[in-house]
Amino acid sequence: MNTTPEERLTRAALELAEEHGLDFLTVRRIATHAGINPGSVYYYFSSKVELIDTVVAAAATNYLYQIRSTLGATISHSGNSENLDGDFLIYKGLHFLGYSLRCQPNHQLLVEESVRRSLRMESKISRSILLCRPTVGELAQNEVANFLKRVADLSNISWRRPVNTIARTALASVEATIRRWHGDSDTAAAIYVLDEIIDYVLADSQPN
């Protein structure tokens, strides 16, 4: 499939950033990885900042898609009929989300690195993308909230607290658990914590 130079440069920068971090990126490294003459990069991007902004936007898009597709698959595989087991759907969905983030950590880690850099105001990179409203974190939270709403509709349950509040806490807890799992590779501990998170979510549900 033919790709434009802009797409090749963005993909190359994203691959390098996911493997080595944003600080590793230079125009020469990106161009070399993309198979493009470094001197021609500025024909396609006005600056390194613009190129990295594009990379961060791509990472954020991939991260949101990862969450949406994982939780969406949980619903679609359930048969999408009424009166399903809500506890089982939530258990399966949040565990699958944890495994998905564990198996493909780079999007999450790159977005988190970008947010930290922007919040520290070390540069102008990605501030407009990551700190606008809604933020990437808020969009990710909305994906989890939509999943919880859909589960409630399918299983005839309701939520005792605002579903966005539950989703925000659940997502932050899952992300923190997976971040630690990246570091210590303690699978048994991670599964135990994920189960505790799911119990916390289920405690906020009630039958209609």
Side-chain angles (χ1 to χ4, degrees):
M1 181 175 63
N2 293 330
T3 57
T4 66
E6 292 93 332
E7 291 169 338
R8 289 164 57 192
L9 286 165
T10 300
R11 184 173 64 249
L14 182 59
E15 290 172 354
L16 290 174
E18 288 180 341
E19 183 174 356
H20 302 289
L22 289 173
D23 289 336
F24 182 81
L25 297 183
T26 65
V27 169
R28 180 169 294 279
R29 282 171 173 160
I30 294 169
T32 300
H33 194 65
I36 291 175
N37 188 315
S40 67
V41 170
Y42 295 107
Y43 286 108
Y44 310 109
F45 294 93
S46 62
S47 65
K48 177 184 172 182
V49 169
E50 182 188 1
L51 175 52
I52 294 181
D53 275 347
T54 303
V55 169
V56 171
T61 298
N62 291 343
Y63 173 58
L64 292 171
Y65 175 77
Q66 186 177 1
I67 294 174
R68 184 184 308 117
S69 59
T70 299
L71 296 177
T74 302
I75 296 295
S76 63
H77 292 163
S78 71
N80 227 13
S81 60
E82 295 181 356
N83 298 320
L84 295 173
D85 186 338
D87 289 7
F88 176 72
L89 283 178
I90 292 168
Y91 180 89
K92 185 168 67 170
L94 293 183
H95 263 288
F96 281 177
L97 178 59
Y99 296 148
S100 176
L101 295 178
R102 173 70 169 112
C103 293
Q104 298 180 342
N106 292 336
H107 303 320
Q108 175 192 355
L109 297 178
L110 181 54
V111 169
E112 290 176 355
E113 179 187 355
S114 304
V115 170
R116 286 195 299 270
R117 286 164 61 99
S118 297
L119 289 172
R120 288 199 304 264
M121 306 294 281
E122 291 182 350
S123 72
K124 295 181 180 179
I125 292 174
S126 308
R127 205 172 296 151
S128 62
I129 295 172
L130 294 164
L131 302 183
C132 63
R133 288 292 184 266
T135 65
V136 175
E138 288 166 342
L139 292 171
Q141 171 191 314
N142 289 342
E143 295 294 341
V144 178
N146 290 336
F147 167 72
L148 296 178
K149 292 174 185 175
R150 186 63 180 140
V151 169
D153 290 340
L154 290 171
S155 56
N156 199 31
I157 63 172
S158 59
W159 300 104
R160 293 188 174 93
R161 293 189 301 153
V163 70
N164 283 343
T165 301
I166 301 170
R168 179 173 61 248
T169 304
L171 178 61
S173 300
V174 169
E175 288 178 330
T177 301
I178 301 309
R179 196 180 304 113
R180 180 172 179 177
W181 195 2
H182 292 154
D184 61 22
S185 299
D186 190 339
T187 300
I191 292 174
Y192 178 80
V193 174
L194 285 173
D195 285 342
E196 286 191 322
I197 295 168
I198 293 165
D199 286 341
Y200 172 84
V201 172
L202 294 176
D204 274 312
S205 67
Q206 60 188 2
N208 285 334

